[in-house]
Amino acid sequence: MKLKLDENGNVVLADGKPVYIHDDGKEIPFDAGAAMQKIAQLNGEAKSHREAREAAEVLAKKFEGIEDPAAALKALQTIKNLDDKKLIDAGEAEKVKAELAAAYEGRLKGKDEELSKLQGQLHTELIGGSFSRSKTIAEKLAIPADIAQSFFGQRFKVEDGKVVAYDSNGSKLYSRVKPGELAGFDEALETLIDSYPHKDSILKSSGSSGSGSGGNTGGGGSSSAKSLADCKTDAERVAYLQANTK
């Protein structure tokens, strides 16, 4: 990444911000103010984590000398059972507790299944909705949103109620427009498209379909189209992509 300079060697500005040229050739203004604000935020989070760790260490010191926590907890439970003997003996208390625990676990399992179902619905809505509403897909891709999702959908996850993108190495994609923040959906999708080795087959044609779409239309493959621009239906586009992206 380097500064963009004009013919006189002066730094090029955009909206008062210096423009940097990234390794892939993209030119993006650097918002120093936003970057400093993000650094201050991260420093504050780091301080909170440090204070929480120190508090945990102080609490842990109170339990120094207890080599077997399980045995200590069992002893405390035994004492409590003896106190409860005024109503029922310790053995009966354990039986009642086991029955209550079983009933609670049954209800908890049902809640977990319901939560899992709701999370699945949220995942489908957030990611599927992001693809269907994507400006990048509408303006740049020659394939519909559902096919784009079938190709790139596995790179997106829902975390803390937000759609987060990951690259092929499993690392989160961060914004180059807003340093320190995760990339928004369209910015992340554009980055994934740029790194896709067959991106020319899914991008909209920038010219006419004359010289670029003619040629060999024969053969025994699943698609006879020369380019994606020649495909007229979704079925033809899917067949073309399956034949040319293996």
Side-chain angles (χ1 to χ4, degrees):
M1 186 174 72
K2 60 182 180 180
L3 277 169
K4 181 178 181 181
L5 305 177
D6 59 19
E7 62 274 8
N8 297 320
N10 298 319
V11 175
V12 175
L13 301 178
D15 297 329
K17 305 181 185 68
V19 177
Y20 279 84
I21 303 175
H22 289 254
D23 294 339
D24 58 4
K26 287 196 174 183
E27 300 178 0
I28 299 177
F30 178 71
D31 191 339
M36 292 300 295
Q37 184 178 3
K38 191 64 180 181
I39 291 172
Q41 176 187 340
L42 293 175
N43 286 337
E45 292 176 357
K47 179 181 178 182
S48 297
H49 291 313
R50 185 181 67 254
E51 291 175 345
R53 187 192 69 243
E54 292 173 351
E57 291 174 350
V58 171
L59 181 61
K61 288 183 178 180
K62 295 181 179 180
F63 298 93
E64 289 182 351
I66 299 178
E67 298 180 357
D68 190 343
L73 289 174
K74 184 177 180 180
L76 290 173
Q77 186 61 47
T78 300
I79 293 174
K80 185 178 184 302
N81 286 340
L82 292 174
D83 290 339
D84 293 341
K85 197 172 179 60
K86 296 176 182 178
L87 298 176
I88 49 178
D89 60 41
E92 187 66 18
E94 292 301 326
K95 180 181 178 181
V96 172
K97 290 176 182 177
E99 292 174 351
L100 291 174
Y104 175 77
E105 288 176 1
R107 291 196 299 270
L108 184 61
K109 181 179 179 181
K111 293 294 183 182
D112 287 342
E113 292 174 351
E114 182 179 354
L115 178 60
S116 178
K117 181 179 179 180
L118 291 174
Q119 287 176 334
Q121 293 173 347
L122 176 63
H123 184 278
T124 300
E125 167 58 25
L126 289 179
I127 294 182
S130 295
F131 273 94
S132 65
R133 295 186 293 268
S134 172
K135 185 177 180 181
T136 296
I137 295 175
E139 296 180 352
K140 297 186 177 182
L141 297 188
I143 56 177
D146 57 342
I147 297 179
Q149 184 176 354
S150 70
F151 272 81
F152 301 104
Q154 71 274 15
R155 295 289 184 84
F156 293 88
K157 299 179 181 179
V158 176
E159 298 177 359
D160 296 328
K162 298 180 180 179
V163 177
V164 180
Y166 287 81
D167 61 20
S168 58
N169 297 318
S171 300
K172 292 181 180 180
L173 288 177
Y174 282 85
S175 173
R176 290 190 290 184
V177 178
K178 298 179 180 179
E181 295 186 14
L182 292 172
F185 180 85
D186 275 308
E187 183 182 0
L189 180 59
E190 187 172 348
T191 299
L192 293 174
I193 293 172
D194 288 341
S195 64
Y196 180 52
H198 305 287
K199 67 178 181 180
D200 291 339
S201 67
I202 63 175
L203 292 174
K204 287 183 177 178
S205 175
S206 58
S208 65
S209 59
S211 61
S213 60
N216 180 22
T217 58
S222 59
S223 173
S224 60
K226 178 67 175 179
S227 70
L228 193 62
D230 295 331
C231 300
K232 304 303 181 183
T233 66
D234 289 348
E236 291 177 352
R237 295 187 184 98
V238 172
Y240 176 85
L241 291 172
Q242 290 177 339
N244 293 276
T245 58
K246 294 180 179 179

